Amino acid sequence: TKQAIKKLRRDRTVQTRNSRVRRDVRDAVKTVRRHPTPKTLSLAFKLLDKAAKRNIVHKNKASRLKSRLTKLLAKK
């Protein structure tokens, strides 16, 4: 049907956007793990919060990652 075609088109767009956000979060977390600095940490926090807000990443997972990354910076 016409609606099904529109939904598929919309789903593809959303999937692309979500995968881009997920990739950005993953890259930011990796960067913090490699070079824990306040600047990289704040960027990772920002991306994690946005992803959690949009339900791309579960809020508890975002919180857990933020906690672990903060520990890395405190250790340094």
Side-chain angles (χ1 to χ4, degrees):
T1 62
K2 227 177 185 182
Q3 283 305 116
I5 292 168
K6 286 180 187 177
K7 180 165 174 20
L8 284 170
R9 188 169 51 220
R10 171 95 179 114
D11 288 348
R12 214 174 298 124
T13 307
V14 171
Q15 182 183 14
T16 308
R17 189 179 310 133
N18 288 349
S19 64
R20 189 179 307 128
V21 171
R22 239 181 253 117
R23 187 191 63 224
D24 290 346
V25 167
R26 228 182 353 251
D27 290 346
V29 169
K30 283 180 187 176
T31 306
V32 175
R33 287 199 176 126
R34 273 191 237 115
H35 309 290
T37 63
K39 188 176 179 181
T40 57
L41 188 69
S42 68
L43 175 68
F45 272 31
K46 185 175 128 183
L47 290 172
L48 279 166
D49 287 337
K50 280 188 178 180
K53 185 179 177 184
R54 296 178 188 162
N55 291 323
I56 296 169
V57 175
H58 195 276
K59 65 177 184 166
N60 290 354
K61 179 175 180 167
S63 180
R64 184 176 66 238
L65 283 171
K66 285 165 62 173
S67 170
R68 289 177 181 175
L69 294 175
T70 306
K71 283 182 188 177
L72 278 179
L73 191 64
K75 213 185 294 184
K76 187 179 177 189

